Amino acid sequence: QVQLVESGGGSVQAGGSLRLSCVASKFTYNMAWFRQAPGKEREGVAIHLGYGLTRYAESVKDRFTISKDNGKNTLYLQMNNLEPDDTAMYYCAARFGSAMTFAVEEYDFWGQGTQVTVSS
């Protein structure tokens, strides 16, 4: 079992920045950030694999950066130039295996989420 605890959400104006953190109870090779807006399906935002491989959703590429401090078992998501469409509950997730997938059903562990609200 892996416990995941997110933090760092909040309310910002469009163009602002936030940094999300996710502390894992132990080292996990394959971690990701997802988000879910009201009335919409959960979608993948960014994946971090191993010691540095990353993958991003097209909608956040060049604005968001995923990183990980393996010594602290902590995953980060730096979000810059935020837009109102980025408003959602953001979830940290982890899975066994090495496939870099945005398929929600492939993830074994989830955090409780942290809310991000971007106003125009």
Side-chain angles (χ1 to χ4, degrees), residues 28-34 43-58 60 64-68 75-77 91-104 106-107 110:
T28 306
Y29 187 73
N30 193 338
M31 298 183 72
W33 287 99
F34 286 76
E43 63 175 3
V45 175
I47 300 169
H48 187 285
L49 182 68
Y51 294 91
L53 291 177
T54 60
R55 178 185 174 191
Y56 295 93
E58 284 297 320
V60 306
F64 291 9
T65 302
I66 190 170
S67 63
K68 190 166 173 225
L75 183 73
Y76 301 100
L77 185 68
Y91 297 92
C92 175
R95 67 182 298 271
F96 299 118
S98 59
M100 299 184 83
T101 176
F102 282 135
V104 172
E106 293 293 327
Y107 284 79
W110 293 86

Side-chain angles (χ1 to χ4, degrees), residues 5-73:
V5 179
E6 304 99 331
S7 62
S11 297
V12 296
Q13 290 190 324
S17 299
L18 283 173
R19 188 194 196 203
L20 306 183
S21 299
C22 170
V23 179
S25 59
K26 60 184 180 181
F27 174 78
T28 306
Y29 187 73
N30 193 338
M31 298 183 72
W33 287 99
F34 286 76
R35 66 186 181 187
Q36 187 167 18
K40 294 188 177 181
E41 293 187 352
R42 192 169 297 190
E43 63 175 3
V45 175
I47 300 169
H48 187 285
L49 182 68
Y51 294 91
L53 291 177
T54 60
R55 178 185 174 191
Y56 295 93
E58 284 297 320
S59 59
V60 306
K61 198 176 290 186
D62 299 327
R63 299 188 298 122
F64 291 9
T65 302
I66 190 170
S67 63
K68 190 166 173 225
D69 185 332
N70 288 315
K72 295 181 179 180
N73 293 335

